[in-house]
Amino acid sequence: MKRTVRIGYALLLLLGALIWGLAFAFQSMGMENTGPFTFTGTRFILATVVVYIFSVITDAGKRSKNRDSKLPEGYSWKSPLLWKAGIITGVLLTIATNLQQIGIIYTDSVGKAGFITAMYIVIVPVLGIFLGKKLSPVIWMCVVISVVGLYFLTMKEQLRFSAGDLLILSCAFVFAVQILTIDKFSREVDNIKFACIEFLTVSVVSCIIMFISEKPDMKSIMAAAIPILYAGVLSGGAGYTIQIVCQSRLDPGVASILMSCEALFSVLGGFVFLGQKLTPREMAGSVLMFAAIIIVQIVPGEKKQEKD
């Protein structure tokens, strides 16, 4: 691949990270008019539609190139494995997304929420211990650095986490489990259909909880239309499409580093759209956490993980 083309894909993936990072601000704005499950349910309905359309387009392209061949088992909509994978990861994504959405309500900065969520990149290799994987000394060093950074980012005068910090940290753990689950299934199924079923599961489960625990109405949903459209169409649909297109054409380490810039862009979104700023102490914690995230992704021999 030519260097200019490679740079183009890198810039496109950086745009994807920008979209994801700014989504934290829109998620916060959406809470002004809707409940967390209403916001999650409606945004993932849109994301499902966008990814399904993309799946139809890519399938049409495959058939035009291979008219006489059939799709492999895990690449058909009728595949039980595809639906099993999508539903399992969808339930995990439902838990993680709603923990994040509720946590944003109780945290004082979407930038902080972005950095805590990005902890999943450090948590993934740690959870790998339970799957029989060994950690290098560098990974353990990153764990320590990220914990120190988390301390500076979240602790105030008293030695305790806020409710929002704990919810978002829990969300990072569930995201890490979801990533490991995706890693288990992704080689056996069509990734676009996989994501479509995953998003469909999130929308169905969240909407069921929405009708049980909240009182959604079209007026409140329309009042939050811009945040929902952004989080659903751009962050969910377009963001995922950019990810799968660019990751297949870039070095995994480079791709992971570019995607981790989501945390930095969440701070930008909080400042531009919500007028939020990090204190010097919180900024120091963010720098430490971002350093740990970057080091984890460039350690030789370690498998890079990506967010769905």
Side-chain angles (χ1 to χ4, degrees), residues 251-281:
D251 175 80
V254 173
S256 296
I257 291 171
L258 290 170
M259 287 189 291
S260 68
C261 290
E262 167 191 3
L264 295 176
F265 290 131
S266 69
V267 178
L268 175 64
F271 175 73
V272 173
F273 295 108
L274 304 174
Q276 297 175 346
K277 298 178 182 179
L278 296 179
T279 66
R281 178 189 177 94

Side-chain angles (χ1 to χ4, degrees), residues 7 23 66 90 98 125 155 190 232 291:
I7 291 174
N66 305 287
N98 284 299
M155 297 301 180
D190 182 289

Side-chain angles (χ1 to χ4, degrees), residues 66-306:
N66 305 287
R67 294 183 179 181
D68 298 327
S69 62
K70 294 183 179 179
L71 293 174
E73 170 61 23
Y75 287 67
S76 167
W77 283 110
K78 297 179 181 180
S79 167
L81 177 62
L82 176 67
W83 282 90
K84 175 184 175 181
I87 291 171
I88 291 174
T89 55
V91 170
L92 290 170
L93 184 58
T94 301
I95 296 170
T97 303
N98 284 299
L99 281 172
Q100 182 188 72
Q101 196 63 44
I102 298 169
I104 287 175
I105 299 174
Y106 297 105
T107 192
D108 55 3
S109 167
V110 295
K112 180 195 294 186
F115 274 99
I116 297 175
T117 299
M119 278 284 288
Y120 74 84
I121 296 174
V122 179
I123 296 171
V124 165
V126 174
L127 291 181
I129 294 174
F130 299 99
L131 301 176
K133 298 179 181 180
K134 295 182 179 180
L135 294 188
S136 68
V138 176
I139 297 296
W140 283 116
M141 179 191 72
C142 291
V143 171
V144 173
I145 292 173
S146 63
V147 169
V148 174
L150 185 63
Y151 173 84
F152 284 126
L153 188 62
T154 59
M155 297 301 180
K156 305 297 183 182
E157 291 78 10
Q158 297 179 335
L159 190 62
R160 65 181 179 84
F161 285 93
S162 71
D165 295 339
L166 287 172
L167 286 168
I168 295 174
L169 186 58
S170 299
C171 138
F173 272 98
V174 181
F175 267 132
V177 176
Q178 182 235 11
I179 286 170
L180 291 172
T181 307
I182 288 174
D183 185 62
K184 175 180 174 62
F185 291 113
S186 61
R187 295 175 183 82
E188 304 176 61
V189 298
D190 182 289
N191 287 343
I192 303 175
K193 293 185 178 72
F194 183 10
C196 187
I197 295 171
E198 181 184 26
F199 291 171
L200 177 63
T201 302
V202 177
S203 60
V204 170
V205 175
S206 295
C207 285
I208 290 172
I209 301 174
M210 171 188 77
F211 285 114
I212 294 173
S213 62
E214 299 173 359
K215 296 180 179 179
D217 61 84
M218 188 55 64
K219 182 178 179 181
S220 62
I221 292 174
M222 291 306 297
I226 292 178
I228 290 172
L229 283 169
Y230 184 95
V233 176
L234 289 180
S235 181
Y240 177 76
T241 302
I242 288 173
Q243 179 186 356
I244 61 174
V245 168
C246 295
Q247 272 193 246
S248 62
R249 293 167 173 81
L250 293 172
D251 175 80
V254 173
S256 296
I257 291 171
L258 290 170
M259 287 189 291
S260 68
C261 290
E262 167 191 3
L264 295 176
F265 290 131
S266 69
V267 178
L268 175 64
F271 175 73
V272 173
F273 295 108
L274 304 174
Q276 297 175 346
K277 298 178 182 179
L278 296 179
T279 66
R281 178 189 177 94
E282 291 171 337
M283 188 62 71
S286 300
V287 170
L288 287 172
M289 291 181 70
F290 191 65
I293 290 166
I294 295 298
I295 294 171
V296 161
Q297 294 174 100
I298 62 177
V299 173
E302 291 294 331
K303 184 176 182 179
K304 309 301 184 293
Q305 300 289 347
E306 64 274 353

